[in-house]
Amino acid sequence: MTDATPAAPSPAPSDFIRDIVAQHVAEKRYPQIVTRFPPEPNGYLHIGHAKSICLNFGIARENGGQCNLRMDDTNPTKEDVEYVESIMQDVNWLIGDWADHCLGFKAHGQTPVTVSVNGQPDFQIPAHFPAREKSVALEPFFASDYFDQIFEYAVALIKKGKAYVCDLSPEDTDKYRGAPDKPGTDSPYRNRSIEENLDLFMRMKAGEFPNGARTLRAKIDMSLPNVWLRDPLLYRIRHTAHHHTGDKWCIYPMYDFAHCLSDYIEGITHSICTLEFEVHRPLYDWILENLGLPRPLPHQYEFAKLIPSHMIVSKRKLIHLVNEKLVSGWDDPRLPTISGIRRRGVPACALRRFAIGVGVTKFDSMTDIAVYEHAVRDELNSIALRRLAVVDPIKVVLTNIPAGETIEVDAVDNPQSETPTTRKVPFTREVFIEREDFAEVPPPKYFRLKPGGEVRLKYACIIKCDEVVKDAAGNVVEIRCTADLDSRAGGPNSGKKVKGTIHWVSAAHAIDAEVRLYDRLFTAAEPDAGGDFTKNVNPKSLVTVTGKLEPSLAFATQEQRFQFERLGYFTLDSKDSAPGKLVFNRTITLKDTWAK
RNA sequence: UGCCCGAUGGUGUAAUGGUAGCACAGCAGAUUCUGAAUCUGUUUGUCUAGGUUCGAUCCCUAGUCGGGCAGCCA
């Protein structure tokens, strides 16, 4: 992409989960460390998922293990293949060449096989690695591929007298569950015979009952303080086609039943999830332990999810922004979705560094968006090609340069590079500068161009402002200056110091491009703190202008990252840009420490 | 008013019985053909009360505050 050196890799992270994994590795508890990233395909991945992805894949790569991508698709009424596609794309982009070698997939269409472990039947599913098995048709794991096996496990639980079919209505099920501070009541169907339970469960599967008529429940204890242990539902009836299994099933396992078993079947060792699942852990363990499984069991570990300031990550609110057309879609560059972040021009490496850098703890906290922005700037600073572009142009005429003369000046592509390269930029009598870089009545400590003042045109020479031309309304339309050609690089006055250096582009050579100036979507640190988060939408989160760009930018490619000098970092828009009709997105501004 | 989890500068985190450190943000200065980057310096912290100990951010007890849990969602 560029010859610039990427930012140095951060030291290996350490946190309480990695400590646990390290201990397990030391005691050789598992043959290999296997984690998983299990999104439900019912929405787009966002920056919060990025933290989870980096944690799970990070642990896998640090331990020579693997991390399975698994669609947690046990609820057909909410899920869709559209999301499966976007999730795969986002994960692939994020882990890039950082952890792609750990990415676990399965053979296309593969479902678990029955094997014998210690003389006991066992379900397993072999993993494949798209990074090194390119000729094989592979796909992510799907919890729905295990429906047959999960059903078998349910039958096993029934046979052990540890699960029963319950006829309570949804409302009654709620009532019988009690409350956190009040014990529940046993279901009247709790003590059905194993035979009756088996018969009823088979008939549930066969589609004999309508939605909501019956459920399969674990038989635990209705008086336990943890409500998730009060005979939790294992299966519900849903006469709905599934995006992956079609109309094969009309009963679907609940998250709690499917998740631990999916983990087990895939041979997951460390099942890492967010804090709200902490109270589910006893159930996760109960199911696995009561099935008498022959292999080592996976265990669940919880961490606090990422809460970034100035962003909204709630799926419901994200959908609202999309549906109300407050943004252009799920990949709007202002959204904290991974697709939006990617389209904005943020390198995967920068997102990763942020997601890893925030750390892993067990307490909720809000991460200042400035930390994210710093990670983005820092990465971009080291890789972005410097270019000259003017976003709000005003014409400057250099009266002592003849019309028609073109002076080629050398401009550095990236001063951060160990071996900086240069390019030629045309410099002529008429140039555009940024309107902001001229002040007829300058505030104190204003370093830029002012009447009678001098400023350096970067890579070219120092100019002096002689005259300000205004229109009838008093607006400045042109600035007339004298160029000190001896102050060019290598010239006798090249060492002359002026306080300000500004960017410019030759009017005759400039190319026009649409430039989308993106800013934070929300002005408030906690957009939804005061009720209606849409009230906090930043009206200037997108300002579209026509910019004047240096001619070399006509050949910009999608992969390149640019710094428009003194303005910020820019990237071609992946959707709307076309040759001859360029569209640039501002990823982020440069840090601005000049007190306004 | 049940159970579970947690609490370190403005923010995010490290220190697992022995000098409270790092990053971001802030401030001051140096430097600069980007008011960027870089460099230097710097302000601000262990929730409270007891206990154990030569010594406690760390272990124990109580309190305070915060979060989570009562979907046939995940």
Side-chain angles (χ1 to χ4, degrees), chain A residues 372-540:
Chain A
Y372 168 72
E373 294 176 340
H374 177 263
V376 174
R377 286 195 183 100
D378 197 36
E379 179 64 25
L380 255 12
N381 177 45
S382 65
I383 63 169
L385 298 169
R386 311 293 127 119
R387 292 294 183 261
L388 295 174
V390 176
V391 126
D392 184 12
I394 186 167
K395 187 176 280 184
V396 170
V397 178
L398 304 168
T399 51
N400 59 328
I401 297 180
E405 181 176 342
T406 300
I407 301 167
E408 301 241 285
V409 300
D410 290 311
V412 179
D413 290 319
N414 187 338
Q416 309 291 319
S417 169
E418 284 176 18
T419 51
T421 54
T422 61
R423 67 191 184 285
K424 298 287 187 193
V425 178
F427 175 56
T428 58
R429 176 183 170 87
E430 295 192 352
V431 299
F432 292 115
I433 66 165
E434 210 68 59
R435 192 169 288 272
E436 246 190 10
D437 287 338
F438 172 76
E440 198 177 10
V441 187
K445 289 199 180 165
Y446 187 81
F447 295 171
R448 291 109 88 173
L449 195 61
K450 52 192 171 191
E454 285 187 326
V455 75
R456 178 178 285 277
L457 296 181
K458 183 139 194 184
Y459 304 125
C461 64
I462 293 169
I463 61 170
K464 182 176 183 199
C465 175
D466 304 316
E467 187 186 351
V468 178
V469 183
K470 297 181 184 178
D471 63 12
N475 300 310
V476 177
V477 293
E478 186 180 297
I479 303 162
R480 300 177 74 81
C481 301
T482 314
D484 175 10
L485 267 1
D486 285 343
S487 64
R488 282 180 291 170
N493 280 347
S494 68
K496 183 176 174 185
K497 302 284 182 197
V498 285
K499 201 66 181 159
T501 299
I502 64 173
H503 56 99
W504 54 276
V505 5
S506 163
H509 298 84
I511 57 171
D512 284 358
E514 180 176 331
V515 180
R516 297 176 179 172
L517 303 171
Y518 289 109
D519 201 352
R520 296 173 181 179
L521 219 208
F522 295 99
T523 47
E526 292 182 77
D528 50 1
D532 184 4
F533 69 97
T534 59
K535 285 203 173 74
N536 291 315
V537 171
N538 178 3
K540 291 181 182 158

Side-chain angles (χ1 to χ4, degrees), chain A residues 20 28-29 117 227 305 310 390 428 467 595:
Chain A
I20 292 167
K28 297 182 170 39
R29 182 182 294 210
V117 176
V227 295
K305 65 170 175 283
H310 305 273
V390 176
T428 58
E467 187 186 351

Side-chain angles (χ1 to χ4, degrees), chain A residues 239-316:
Chain A
H239 290 273
T240 306
H242 186 281
H243 68 92
H244 191 67
T245 60
D247 52 12
K248 180 177 177 186
W249 296 88
C250 65
I251 58 170
Y252 292 93
M254 299 288 293
Y255 162 83
D256 287 295
F257 195 50
H259 203 90
C260 54
L261 291 170
S262 302
D263 283 345
Y264 176 77
I265 291 168
E266 289 177 23
I268 303 301
T269 56
H270 300 262
S271 184
I272 301 165
C273 61
T274 47
L275 248 29
E276 65 264 31
F277 292 99
E278 210 161 11
V279 288
H280 294 241
R281 192 183 345 133
L283 178 54
Y284 183 104
D285 293 337
W286 184 94
I287 293 167
L288 261 16
E289 283 163 10
N290 281 277
L291 249 9
L293 301 162
R295 279 183 291 130
L297 303 180
H299 288 283
Q300 176 182 305
Y301 307 88
E302 310 87 11
F303 71 97
K305 65 170 175 283
L306 175 66
I307 305 172
S309 73
H310 305 273
M311 291 185 192
I312 286 284
V313 289
S314 146
K315 215 170 263 183
R316 209 193 86 244

Side-chain angles (χ1 to χ4, degrees), chain A residues 136-163:
Chain A
V136 192
L138 302 178
E139 63 179 351
F141 294 90
F142 289 83
S144 58
D145 279 327
Y146 315 145
F147 282 172
D148 281 310
Q149 291 71 34
I150 293 170
F151 181 83
E152 288 302 313
Y153 285 125
V155 169
L157 241 27
I158 294 173
K159 286 181 174 167
K160 286 169 183 269
K162 292 180 176 180

